[in-house]
Amino acid sequence: MAGSKKAQREPLPGPAGLEDTLSPVDLPAPPGPLPQPLRWTSIAIAAAALFLAVFNAHAIRGWCYDLPPGPVSERLIGAAEGWYAATAAVGLNRPVETMRGWWQSAKEKRFAGSAVEDVVADPADSRPPE
Amino acid sequence: MLFPTLTFGIFFLIVYTASWLLRGSNEWRKILILVASWVFYGWWDVKFVALLIASGLLNWGLGRLIVLFDARPAPRRLAFALGIAANLAILATFKYYGFFMVQVEHLLHALGWQRDLAIIQIVLPVGISFFTFQAMSYVIDLYRRETEPASLLDMTLLMSFFPHLVAGPIVRASHLIPQFRQVPELTRGMAAMGIALIVWGLFKKAVIASELATGLVDGVFGDPAAYGRTDLIFGAYGYAVQIYCDFSAYSDMAIGLAALLGYRFPHNFNQPYRARSLQDFWRRWHISLSSWLRDYLYVPLGGSRHGLRRLCLALMTTMLLGGLWHGASWNFVIWGALHGTVLVAERLWREFRPKAWPALPHLLGVIVTFHIVLLGWIFFRAASFPDALAYLAGIFGGGGGAMALTPLLLVLILLGMSFHYFPPHSIQHVAMRIRALPALPVGLAAGIFILIVDAMRPEGVAPFIYYQF
């Protein structure tokens, strides 16, 4: 891979390198070649997708439950339930569940004397059973 | 099909893989992306795919006529006029017919006519304003000889290309058609920027915009009388942050998705709430629309070439029509009128300010501009003119009462505002670091970031605000 130390220490350009570009994706040319861009991009996308499939099986299961009912969705739900159970068994669902708990408790904090009524529906209500 | 959903994620993975597998043939690659774009659009309502195709065919055909009559001014002008009229007719039919008929009915009632008109309810196709403006820019640019004629495939792909199809940026033919002429070249810089924009957009939409909408903004704008002054004030600030995080997130994701397919979309936002004047604001907010309005409306109306009076008239007309572009409602007209009035006032101030008077300090200019924009957003968000007035009355005359604003919502408002004061081009600097790293840690970092966003987002995804336009 092309992540050389020299490339990592690439100096930031002055405004001249980024001003007046037609598109935000027009970056100044790198000091050295950055080879195999398609391979690099595909590996990055695949790694992100695989990471999410492993650590966020809950989302896959929820998506399967939202599919229109039918034999295909039944089979997908079965597979998604199995995958969720397998990842949960080794604790891979814990990071996202922990973060969700932190976020939920941050949402529940109120200023002194504020309204008790919460206008936000509890996300747990619409989740499939654990 | 909404960007921040698993359905779209799977769709994009398929399109990304298939499109790069087909890179040996530019034509087949474009056909694949075109069909994928129709699938994307048909996910809402398959009937409107026919409208999209028909509009593409119509504009391509009229473009061919303009080129065919290159040496004959009269038929050339006729083909051009037909092109503009046809596009405006599409917009008028789907977007403004109902509004217009209701106004006629009100007028007739005021004149003593007591019968109701039979008004047909027409469903508004998603993104019609965006793809129609793109088509118009093609016809106008061809007529002005500022762009080359496009093939039928390129023209339909220009209008249908799924990243920008429903909420922009408005990408002009002269920008995108040349890119369609060859298989695009993907660089690691483009890919890194694409990934960064997608992940950043996801955070802005799914966390900040969604949380502010469900936790505060929808409630206070739905029933302002039920809330105290503090909630109404922060509800307005919250909406300013929400609409920025929502719309700029869509643009970021659209630009990022297009980049991963090898195409470059133009800038659409540049920290708009740090603008020091309203003129500056419109150079930073929805840049693709403001530059469209400048080039195809303001300049043809005379712009700054025919004296101050004509300039003010052109500014006001442009902003009124720009307001109406957003939707068939008096609130959008009022929003446009407010912006037009302030733009005219700024121009007059620059023209007639006594030389001895000091210019407005930078910070004061930013604060004043932001609050004018904020006032406009109240009319933009309120369901009707009386609702907007009730909201303002609540801010200036309302009482205290229990607060719906929470510490988290306050933090999100401050966070959303802080984005406008980051050093310029921050995300480009991040992308320049990313592109030099190996792919695996980049992918894992993107996965971790998306996982964090998923843990924080509310269940379900509300459509983007600009889908309705």
Side-chain angles (χ1 to χ4, degrees):
Chain A
M1 302 305 284
S4 70
K5 285 195 172 180
K6 190 179 175 187
Q8 284 177 37
R9 289 194 194 122
E10 177 188 340
L12 293 179
L18 291 166
E19 294 288 351
D20 302 324
T21 55
L22 210 53
S23 168
V25 302
D26 293 335
L27 300 180
L34 296 170
Q36 296 182 307
L38 187 57
R39 183 181 145 84
W40 183 90
T41 311
S42 302
I43 291 172
I45 292 175
L50 204 62
F51 178 88
L52 289 168
V54 170
F55 285 93
N56 207 13
H58 164 84
I60 299 172
R61 189 179 59 156
W63 178 78
C64 290
Y65 274 103
D66 287 341
L67 292 172
V72 177
S73 63
E74 284 298 318
R75 250 178 286 157
L76 283 173
I77 287 170
E81 283 287 5
W83 178 242
Y84 176 79
T87 56
V90 287
L92 296 176
N93 63 335
R94 259 184 238 141
V96 77
E97 291 300 331
T98 306
M99 286 188 286
R100 198 167 281 139
W102 291 343
W103 185 247
Q104 200 55 37
S105 61
K107 281 170 74 168
E108 283 160 9
K109 287 198 169 41
R110 295 286 181 271
F111 289 114
S114 66
V116 177
E117 185 189 356
D118 193 346
V119 292
V120 185
D122 182 356
D125 291 347
S126 49
R127 277 193 217 140
E130 296 291 325
Chain B
M1 202 188 300
L2 297 165
F3 286 169
T5 58
L6 188 53
T7 306
F8 180 79
I10 293 167
F11 166 84
F12 185 73
L13 281 179
I14 294 167
V15 175
Y16 170 85
T17 308
S19 70
W20 287 115
L21 285 174
L22 283 174
R23 64 186 181 281
S25 163
N26 191 34
E27 297 305 301
W28 281 110
R29 187 175 192 270
K30 286 190 291 191
I31 289 168
L32 169 92
I33 295 175
L34 181 63
V35 172
S37 298
W38 289 343
V39 170
F40 173 82
Y41 197 58
W43 214 265
W44 277 283
D45 193 333
V46 77
K47 288 195 297 287
F48 292 135
V49 177
L51 173 71
L52 191 61
I53 295 170
S55 179
L57 274 170
L58 179 80
N59 284 286
W60 173 79
L62 289 164
R64 297 303 302 176
L65 283 179
I66 290 172
V67 174
L68 189 70
F69 296 126
D70 192 46
R72 297 169 60 193
R76 189 169 182 275
R77 202 174 305 124
L78 181 66
F80 167 69
L82 272 175
I84 299 300
N87 281 300
L88 290 178
I90 290 171
L91 265 187
T93 306
F94 285 97
K95 195 159 179 174
Y96 302 108
Y97 165 81
F99 175 68
F100 177 74
M101 292 305 286
V102 168
Q103 306 312 311
V104 170
E105 193 174 63
H106 287 168
L107 184 67
L108 290 175
H109 285 179
L111 294 172
W113 174 279
Q114 291 307 320
R115 290 171 61 185
D116 289 334
L117 297 175
I119 302 174
I120 308 162
Q121 295 297 319
I122 298 179
V123 178
L124 181 69
V126 178
I128 188 168
S129 306
F130 288 94
F131 68 71
T132 305
F133 265 36
Q134 274 160 193
M136 285 172 77
S137 80
Y138 171 69
V139 173
I140 298 169
D141 286 351
L142 259 188
Y143 183 71
R144 292 175 174 175
R145 298 187 174 91
E146 288 175 359
T147 194
E148 296 287 314
S151 68
L152 179 58
L153 176 58
D154 287 359
M155 181 61 200
T156 43
L157 185 55
L158 168 76
M159 290 179 64
S160 311
F161 191 29
F162 69 87
H164 71 76
L165 174 56
V166 293
I170 299 169
V171 188
R172 299 188 197 182
S174 55
H175 185 79
L176 202 51
I177 295 286
Q179 297 186 53
F180 286 156
R181 296 221 166 98
Q182 53 200 343
V183 174
E185 192 188 339
L186 184 70
T187 66
R188 278 177 48 172
M190 278 175 79
M193 192 63 194
I195 291 168
L197 283 170
I198 291 167
V199 170
W200 183 236
L202 197 61
F203 173 70
K204 285 194 290 186
K205 166 63 181 170
V207 178
I208 299 183
S210 295
E211 196 63 52
L212 285 174
T214 54
L216 182 66
V217 175
D218 291 351
V220 294
F221 276 94
D223 185 11
Y227 292 85
R229 182 184 295 160
T230 310
D231 281 336
L232 294 179
I233 291 170
F234 281 96
Y237 285 123
Y239 184 64
V241 171
Q242 184 206 337
I243 193 169
Y244 167 73
C245 285
D246 188 288
F247 190 22
S248 71
Y250 186 92
S251 290
D252 287 350
M253 286 190 259
I255 294 166
L257 293 165
L260 292 181
L261 295 175
Y263 299 106
R264 292 173 163 83
F265 279 2
H267 294 271
N268 214 23
F269 287 89
N270 180 19
Q271 300 178 303
Y273 295 155
R274 74 189 296 168
R276 60 189 301 186
S277 66
L278 210 58
Q279 187 188 33
D280 187 21
F281 174 79
W282 279 105
R283 288 184 185 133
R284 295 166 176 274
W285 176 273
H286 202 175
I287 299 165
S288 62
L289 174 68
S290 56
S291 59
W292 196 102
L293 291 172
R294 180 197 63 209
D295 294 347
Y296 301 119
L297 195 57
Y298 172 72
V299 172
L301 284 171
S304 58
R305 293 163 295 146
H306 300 286
L308 191 61
R309 191 177 300 178
R310 184 76 174 271
L311 180 147
C312 294
L313 188 68
L315 261 182
M316 201 67 201
T317 310
T318 302
M319 294 317 295
L320 281 172
L321 291 175
L324 205 56
W325 174 87
H326 285 85
S329 147
W330 286 113
N331 270 26
F332 292 124
V333 178
I334 292 163
W335 175 79
L338 173 73
H339 279 258
T341 305
V342 177
L343 283 169
V344 166
E346 281 180 356
R347 183 69 198 207
L348 294 175
W349 174 249
R350 273 204 304 279
E351 204 73 31
F352 297 112
R353 180 171 65 89
K355 293 281 180 280
W357 288 24
L360 203 61
H362 182 97
L363 181 63
L364 195 59
V366 171
I367 292 170
V368 170
T369 302
F370 174 69
H371 284 87
I372 291 167
V373 170
L374 192 69
L375 176 65
W377 287 145
I378 292 174
F379 288 94
F380 196 92
R381 174 61 179 81
S384 66
F385 184 61
D387 284 352
L389 292 184
Y391 197 97
L392 288 169
I395 287 178
F396 292 106
M403 273 207 301
L405 179 74
T406 66
L408 178 67
L409 293 168
L410 181 60
V411 167
L412 292 180
I413 292 171
L414 294 173
L415 183 65
M417 286 304 296
S418 74
F419 298 158
H420 301 266
Y421 300 96
F422 281 9
H425 312 298
S426 298
I427 197 158
Q428 278 92 344
H429 289 307
V430 171
M432 288 169 65
R433 296 294 190 210
I434 292 173
R435 71 180 174 184
L437 299 174
L440 197 60
V442 170
L444 291 178
I448 290 169
F449 200 93
I450 295 170
L451 190 71
I452 294 169
V453 168
D454 202 60
M456 296 196 290
R457 67 196 285 175
E459 197 75 21
V461 182
F464 288 87
I465 292 172
Y466 266 65
Y467 271 28
Q468 62 186 300
F469 306 142

